[in-house]
Amino acid sequence: LSLSRQLACDYGKYGLRCNCISPGAVMTASFARSATDDETLIKKGTPLNRVARPEDIGDTVVWLASDQSRHITGQNIVVDGGMTAVGGWAMLDELNSEETEEHALKRSKTS
């Protein structure tokens, strides 16, 4: 991020823009093969209630490269469906521990 900002400052006078994209969870082949139930947890903790698709990140790249973003430079564009707006990954840890406690309670009631 600091490098992107410095490049934006150094090369802006030449009409060059430099930005950074910070993606959240993206539904890639390796993510889909995950042995855990991360998708459900991420959906629960993301205001848009979904995991990003690769196109979501790609569309952001295309937009930043276009004239539509001609006055944007030195920025970090977060593409995470709002996850950082609600507390980011720390919030997911909280949700995960709550679910673990709920499962433990259910198991103890059935035993």
Side-chain angles (χ1 to χ4, degrees), residues 6-17 73:
Q6 189 61 51
L7 290 171
C9 292
D10 291 346
Y11 293 99
K13 61 187 169 197
Y14 303 110
L16 298 175
R17 297 175 286 130
T73 193

Side-chain angles (χ1 to χ4, degrees), residues 1-44:
L1 183 56
S2 293
L3 177 61
S4 294
R5 288 182 176 158
Q6 189 61 51
L7 290 171
C9 292
D10 291 346
Y11 293 99
K13 61 187 169 197
Y14 303 110
L16 298 175
R17 297 175 286 130
C18 185
N19 295 290
C20 182
I21 297 174
S22 296
V26 179
M27 184 54 74
T28 61
S30 66
F31 184 92
R33 287 191 306 266
S34 173
T36 63
D37 198 16
D38 289 344
E39 183 178 2
T40 301
L41 190 60
I42 289 167
K43 283 180 177 180
K44 194 180 241 186

